[in-house]
Amino acid sequence: MTRGNNRAVPPIYVTGHRNPDTDSIASAIGYAELKGRLDRNNEYVPVRLGELNAQTEWVLERSGAPEPRLLTHVLLRAGDVMQSSFPWTSQHEPIRSVGFAMARADLDLVPIVDEQGALVGVVTERTLARRFIRETRQTSTLEAPTRISAVVDVLEAELVVGEDKLLAGRVWVHSMDVHTSSGISEGDVVVVGNRADAQRLALELGAALVVISNGSSPTPEIVELARSRDAAVIVSPLDTYVSGRMITLAAPCRAYMEKDPLTVTTEYLVADVSEQIKEIHYGAAVVVDAERRPVGLITRSDLVAPPRRRVLLVDHAEQAQSVRGIDEAEIVEILDHHHIGSIETRIPVTATFDPVGSTATLVVERFRQNGMEPSRPTAVALLGAILSDTVILNSPTTTERDHAVVEYLERVLAVNAAEFGREMFESTADVSEVSAEEIVSRDAKQYNVTGGQVICIAQIEVVGKGLLERKPELLEAMRRERERKGFQLYALMITDVLTKGTDLLVAGDMAAVARSFGVRPTDSTIELPGVMSRKKEVAPKLLATL
């Protein structure tokens, strides 16, 4: 039997950055929807690289848009390179069937399964070759109990007399004079020509099955003798030599299989199994599911220049902010509203770096440019993303294009954007029950500075100054995170959406940070009235100074 279809075209994952914010998630959802409508030849799947923050959860719940699934890496997996169309055989099938399947598929092995379809072993080309080379040196033997019906099928023979019983003896081709001593014994299989005396001798010596070659019919006396001895007689259309050689091919394949084959799951990293595949004699791994059913094969040839996983990046272009393994993936497009980052591509791709307040703005504009309208759940999520990134259109990064898109979404959705934004921030601003570790890492972005150093800037939007009461706890969490990851500096922007200002906490060279803003620090804190944008007002100053 053959399982599966030809290898499917792998999806294109649409992903924002690590520690995703609302813009990152909504843009992935929206752009995946648009690309899927425009490009029917590919599947675009929105994904996330981390846990959702409270604000994003609120927006998705309000919109009804589904939460993107978590993507932990884009390293090449077994499921990305496996052959999904391959032969497999029941452990009870004749070994001849396995050999044919192996030859048709041009493979060195065939998976063998039990009654539930679970993998129990593999039959390999080398095992078959060794078995038949060994057989040339000794009497042919059925390697496992074999049904008479299987012998009939292999020989395309006719059962003349007898029941479908199991055979377990040796296989003889009787061509000697009947007066010569014979090794035939109870339960054996004997192949003879149209010689009634030889047929009678075989039955009298206890043969369980007599195979008469060349299509010759047994006499009534032979039939009656076989019936009286509870033996079987079949007539083979093949000659005596070929019949004798093929009988052992009726044995069930379980007798020849290797019971501990190399197996992996679809999520197994190719890098972790490639050496084993290259070294094992049959040069393959069987890919199994949770019930150990074979779902694919990986052969040595599948490891030669395998296709990379495909990724479309939104809302970031920094390798440190992207999915693990991005350097081994194929980046098909970048859509971002930040500066050009450290991402490298192997081939030219469409890359958009457009200075608006939110990537979601760019997504909505793309919908409109193509004469399309996002679905209502997606439109609500995109509205929340724009209001989040622009702090209800109050951030200095806000452009007229952001205003225009918000006005468009207000008309489409029949909502008041300002009221929606205030409800969003007020409903998710309480972080009193959130740990300091989560607060300082929830929306944290890394930036490369000169000398190969990395700084991290996190931001959290709040209503009021209550979070500053936890400043010692937050600073300690920042110091631990800075030391653990080796950052040159760790900063946390606590941005008040009502007063429209930021308190900047710093773990690192506070003096240098203060100089970059032309202010004096107060107890590891820098007050920045009117500052709300990490991208436009904080990151550029720190990157220019450090």
Side-chain angles (χ1 to χ4, degrees):
M1 299 183 184
T2 300
R3 174 164 291 163
N5 302 308
N6 293 330
R7 186 180 297 155
V9 177
I12 296 174
Y13 297 105
V14 184
T15 174
H17 49 73
R18 299 182 193 179
N19 303 315
D21 57 11
T22 304
D23 187 33
S24 178
I25 295 296
S27 295
I29 293 171
Y31 208 41
E33 179 179 310
L34 175 61
K35 296 293 288 189
R37 290 198 213 170
L38 296 174
D39 178 10
R40 297 293 184 178
N41 295 323
N42 287 290
E43 178 188 10
Y44 292 82
V45 179
V47 295
R48 57 185 173 89
L49 304 187
E51 298 304 317
L52 303 181
N53 62 38
Q55 183 190 87
T56 307
E57 289 180 341
W58 184 92
V59 170
L60 292 185
E61 183 177 354
R62 174 62 68 90
S63 69
E67 177 181 319
R69 73 176 180 86
L70 179 67
L71 184 68
T72 56
H73 65 80
V74 287
L75 298 168
L76 210 56
R77 308 161 303 167
D80 300 317
V81 303
M82 72 182 189
Q83 302 176 32
S84 57
S85 181
F86 60 97
W88 57 274
T89 301
S90 164
Q91 61 182 337
H92 304 298
E93 285 291 309
I95 190 62
R96 181 171 182 260
S97 300
V98 178
F100 281 151
M102 197 180 298
R104 285 193 297 268
D106 194 22
L107 291 170
D108 293 336
L109 83 166
V110 170
I112 309 300
V113 301
D114 63 15
E115 289 75 6
Q116 286 72 46
L119 183 73
V120 291
V122 295
V123 171
T124 69
E125 188 175 58
R126 188 169 83 167
T127 299
L128 291 178
R130 284 184 171 181
R131 189 262 175 218
F132 288 106
I133 289 173
R134 184 175 71 248
E135 188 185 63
T136 62
R137 301 182 179 182
Q138 60 191 38
T139 303
S140 296
T141 305
L142 292 168
E143 297 287 340
T146 304
R147 290 206 166 271
I148 290 176
S149 58
V151 177
V152 172
D153 289 342
V154 165
L155 298 180
E156 298 180 2
E158 175 190 357
L159 177 63
V160 177
V161 63
E163 299 178 355
D164 185 18
K165 298 188 299 184
L166 287 173
L167 304 168
R170 293 170 294 176
V171 180
W172 300 92
V173 174
H174 190 76
S175 59
M176 304 294 288
D177 185 272
V178 293
H179 300 294
T180 304
S181 62
S182 170
I184 298 171
S185 60
E186 195 78 25
D188 286 347
V189 178
V190 181
V191 183
V192 295
N194 59 347
R195 297 169 53 207
D197 56 349
Q199 298 166 13
R200 183 180 300 106
L201 175 64
L203 292 169
E204 289 174 348
L205 291 174
L209 172 65
V210 172
V211 179
I212 302 177
S213 61
N214 293 300
S216 300
S217 299
T219 65
E221 291 77 15
I222 293 298
V223 172
E224 185 57 35
L225 179 60
R227 184 176 290 115
S228 67
R229 290 180 171 272
D230 196 24
V233 176
I234 66 175
V235 174
S236 169
L238 307 173
D239 64 38
T240 303
Y241 172 78
V242 174
S243 295
R245 296 298 296 165
M246 291 189 64
I247 286 172
T248 56
L249 295 177
C253 60
R254 67 175 179 274
Y256 303 90
M257 70 185 183
E258 299 189 22
K259 297 181 180 179
D260 189 25
L262 177 60
T263 59
V264 296
T265 66
T266 55
E267 295 300 314
Y268 223 84
L269 296 184
V270 171
D272 292 341
V273 74
S274 59
E275 287 304 314
Q276 293 172 272
I277 292 174
K278 293 173 184 176
E279 292 172 2
I280 202 162
H281 72 84
Y282 47 82
V286 184
V287 186
V288 296
D289 62 14
E291 283 73 41
R292 201 172 165 76
R293 293 173 301 196
V295 296
L297 290 179
I298 304 176
T299 67
R300 293 187 182 113
S301 62
D302 297 315
L303 301 177
V304 179
R308 300 175 183 273
R309 299 177 79 180
R310 298 185 295 170
V311 184
L312 192 162
L313 305 182
V314 297
D315 200 34
H316 75 293
E318 289 278 358
Q319 183 167 329
Q321 296 177 13
S322 200
V323 62
R324 185 165 69 95
I326 190 64
D327 54 324
E328 298 183 21
E330 178 188 350
I331 299 172
V332 300
E333 185 179 349
I334 302 173
L335 182 68
D336 191 15
H337 71 127
H338 299 95
H339 69 283
I340 298 175
S342 59
I343 289 289
E344 296 182 1
T345 63
R346 292 176 174 80
I347 59 174
V349 301
T350 300
T352 301
F353 297 89
D354 205 337
V356 294
S358 166
T359 302
T361 295
L362 302 177
V363 174
V364 176
E365 288 180 339
R366 293 287 178 91
F367 268 103
R368 301 190 72 184
Q369 289 164 6
N370 286 280
M372 296 180 178
E373 188 174 287
S375 64
R376 183 173 182 84
T378 297
V380 174
L382 291 169
L383 175 61
I386 299 170
L387 297 176
S388 173
D389 249 28
T390 64
V391 195
I392 318 180
L393 301 177
N394 286 313
S395 170
T397 61
T398 309
T399 67
E400 288 303 317
R401 290 163 61 188
D402 299 301
H403 281 278
V405 167
V406 168
E407 290 172 4
Y408 161 74
L409 292 174
E410 281 185 316
R411 294 194 305 272
V412 169
L413 298 171
V415 299
N416 184 291
E419 292 179 2
F420 182 93
R422 280 194 297 271
E423 183 181 358
M424 177 181 68
F425 277 106
E426 290 172 358
S427 298
T428 59
D430 182 12
V431 292
S432 58
E433 301 299 321
V434 180
S435 69
E437 288 74 14
E438 182 179 346
I439 291 173
V440 303
S441 61
R442 167 188 288 179
D443 182 14
K445 293 185 178 180
Q446 299 175 25
Y447 300 88
N448 296 316
V449 295
T450 56
Q453 295 291 317
V454 178
I455 66 172
C456 185
I457 307 173
Q459 184 175 24
I460 185 166
E461 283 99 4
V462 298
V463 175
K465 297 285 187 179
L467 186 58
L468 287 175
E469 297 176 2
R470 300 175 61 185
K471 182 166 66 174
E473 180 186 0
L474 295 172
L475 285 169
E476 181 57 31
M478 293 164 60
R479 293 185 184 110
R480 287 196 300 268
E481 191 71 3
R482 177 194 175 204
E483 181 177 346
R484 186 173 71 88
K485 295 187 176 179
F487 294 138
Q488 180 182 355
L489 178 138
Y490 204 108
L492 172 65
M493 297 174 61
I494 302 176
T495 302
D496 190 331
V497 298
L498 293 185
T499 63
K500 300 177 184 178
T502 293
D503 289 290
L504 186 68
L505 307 188
V506 178
D509 190 347
M510 170 61 77
V513 174
R515 285 196 302 272
S516 67
F517 289 99
V519 298
R520 289 187 176 183
T522 303
D523 190 22
S524 297
T525 306
I526 296 175
E527 294 185 11
L528 300 174
V531 171
M532 304 184 73
S533 171
R534 169 173 48 193
K535 179 182 71 174
K536 194 168 184 177
E537 298 174 301
V538 175
K541 288 185 178 293
L542 296 184
L543 292 173
T545 303
L546 299 174

